[in-house]
Amino acid sequence: GDCRKMLRLRGLPLAASASRAAARAGTHQMQAKRAFTPLADQDRIFQNIYGEHDTSIKGAMKYGDWHKTDKIVQKGWEWIINEIKASGLRGRGGAGFPSGLKYSFMPKHKPDGRPSYLVINADESEPCTCKDREILRNEPHKLVEGCLIVGSAMMAKAAYIYIRGEYHDEAVALERAVAEAYKAGKIGKNAAGSGYDFDVYVHRGAGAYICGEETAMIESLEGKQGKPRLKPPFPANVGLWGCPTTVTNVETVAVVPTIIRRGASWFSSFGRDNNKGTKLFNVGGNVNNPCTVEESMGVPMQYLIEKHGGGVKGGWSNLQAVIPGGVSVPMVNAEMASEALMDFDGLRKYKTALGTGSMTVIDKNQDLIQVVTRISSFFKHESCGQCTPCREGVAWMYNILQRFSVGNASLGEIQMLEEISRNIEGHTICALGDAAAWPVQGLIRNFRPLIEARIEEYKSQTAL
């Protein structure tokens, strides 16, 4: 109402002003796409992500790891958190919460004497996601050093790195790096000569997807079944063993030392407003060169697929869909993929999300309904069973999708499936319900004619 009044006061016709606004928005989007420049090698935080060089502490120090770490820690928690806030770093595990703000929630003065803990989520159980795996394999010292710096900013006593059980080689590499850091005096008593005492422990999980949820991870660390807790209380107040705890992603912590050294303004010079910095992306699925690559936030999806992924198998015209960030976000069609920018805001426009930034490219040779059915099967299997909407609803979705895959259903069941997904989304303790619902919603929203055609085809065949 206020906007319409303003337009009348200025003597502008509403339709004309709306069309001008739309044109400006289109121009801004075009400029955003044109403004993208590939990340220069010297600006990549992960210089050894492919393991082509020495991954030991000696090799890591050649690339700048552990350089003046003592001076960084001695600057104090407030300075470190302000630098992280100024950098615009947002969580790289999927949710995208501002990291500096999250770390500031940890109480710094505790009259009750409880210790604080940092927990690193190295579970990475999201299907089609393997960006953190490369850090654990080839640049583990970035993570260990990041634990010390971020942990000191929270006044934490220790860090627990919770790594998924299937990551055997990665766990071995990480444990080796932790042992090297202890031997070199970089962690432990008087860590890196900073005067701050800080320990790092590696804990192996047993392969449950649900343990990627922060409170389920804390439960698992305590030796209990990995089931999410009700919040509040939040982990920053009552977390591991009832003490203040922050759970954060591997990549989020691993980039902090470089951000501190090179400056918040350097990191924030990449990407767009509210989507700053560089990020590790996975390009997988039906591409010629599946890979993990570091690029600036806001990189066009098509650029990642064509430049780094070697293009879609059979050419761009053979592209059917892309799942932008792990399998728990809605897929987009080829037209959307040609326009989408890979950051939090760029993908929200298409009613999907950046998630982990791990793309799955799906060509026209794949059956999309069967793809989503398989995804639904995964979430049905991984549900912890605490919440009725998730425990029952995801199984219902899977059963309906199984019939959709052959066409043995009625057209009215498409809407019913949508309603079931909406009754799961937002009605569970943790986000697993949302993760199970979104791929189904994406299929219905962007590929409904495919489902309808399958049902009609089945009807015509059975009528004979």
Side-chain angles (χ1 to χ4, degrees), residues 92 131 251 277-281 293-295 297 354 356-357:
R92 300 307 196 222
K131 65 180 183 65
E251 185 186 351
T278 67
K279 188 184 182 330
L280 288 177
F281 295 96
V293 65
E294 183 178 359
E295 272 292 355
M297 292 281 280
L354 179 66
T356 57

Side-chain angles (χ1 to χ4, degrees), residues 311-458:
V312 182
K313 288 184 177 179
W316 187 261
S317 61
N318 195 36
L319 177 64
Q320 182 174 200
V322 178
I323 307 175
V327 300
S328 61
V329 300
M331 60 176 65
V332 297
N333 60 33
E335 183 183 351
M336 295 171 180
S338 67
E339 300 171 351
L341 301 180
M342 290 292 287
D343 60 22
F344 300 106
D345 295 336
L347 290 166
R348 190 179 295 120
K349 174 184 174 183
Y350 301 102
K351 295 185 178 179
T352 185
L354 179 66
T356 57
S358 302
M359 291 190 297
T360 302
V361 177
I362 305 168
D363 67 22
K364 290 178 180 175
N365 297 319
Q366 312 307 321
D367 184 334
L368 274 188
I369 302 173
Q370 286 189 357
V371 168
V372 177
T373 303
R374 180 65 186 88
I375 292 169
S376 191
S377 169
F378 171 81
F379 287 116
K380 177 178 77 77
H381 180 266
E382 294 297 336
S383 172
C384 77
Q386 271 193 113
C387 308
T388 306
C390 180
R391 182 184 67 244
E392 304 296 331
V394 177
W396 293 353
M397 290 197 302
Y398 172 63
N399 292 335
I400 294 170
L401 283 164
Q402 276 189 307
R403 289 191 292 107
F404 278 3
S405 65
V406 295
N408 184 16
S410 66
L411 292 174
E413 286 182 281
I414 301 175
Q415 185 58 35
M416 185 175 74
L417 179 61
E418 168 86 8
E419 288 174 9
I420 291 171
S421 75
R422 298 292 176 187
N423 282 315
I424 297 171
E425 180 188 12
H427 295 88
T428 53
I429 292 174
C430 79
L432 191 143
D434 298 355
W438 288 340
V440 175
Q441 292 171 11
L443 176 69
I444 295 171
R445 182 166 56 246
N446 297 323
F447 299 95
R448 189 183 186 113
L450 197 67
I451 307 171
E452 292 172 347
R454 186 71 54 84
I455 293 170
E456 293 298 338
E457 183 186 357
Y458 182 84

Side-chain angles (χ1 to χ4, degrees), residues 22-96:
R24 281 197 300 272
T27 303
H28 288 323
Q29 187 180 1
M30 294 277 289
Q31 287 172 345
K33 288 191 80 171
R34 284 197 212 103
F36 171 76
T37 51
L39 191 66
D41 284 343
Q42 62 266 28
D43 287 324
R44 299 188 197 280
I45 292 173
F46 299 101
Q47 293 286 328
N48 192 28
I49 197 66
Y50 305 117
E52 295 169 337
H53 309 289
D54 186 6
T55 60
S56 71
I57 191 168
K58 187 177 178 182
M61 290 175 77
K62 286 181 181 178
Y63 283 98
D65 295 350
W66 297 110
H67 179 65
K68 295 187 177 179
T69 310
D70 56 335
K71 301 292 191 295
I72 295 171
V73 173
Q74 287 166 356
K75 282 182 177 286
W77 66 266
E78 194 169 10
W79 182 87
I80 294 171
I81 284 178
N82 286 337
E83 278 292 292
I84 298 171
K85 283 181 178 178
S87 73
L89 175 64
R90 292 173 64 176
R92 300 307 196 222

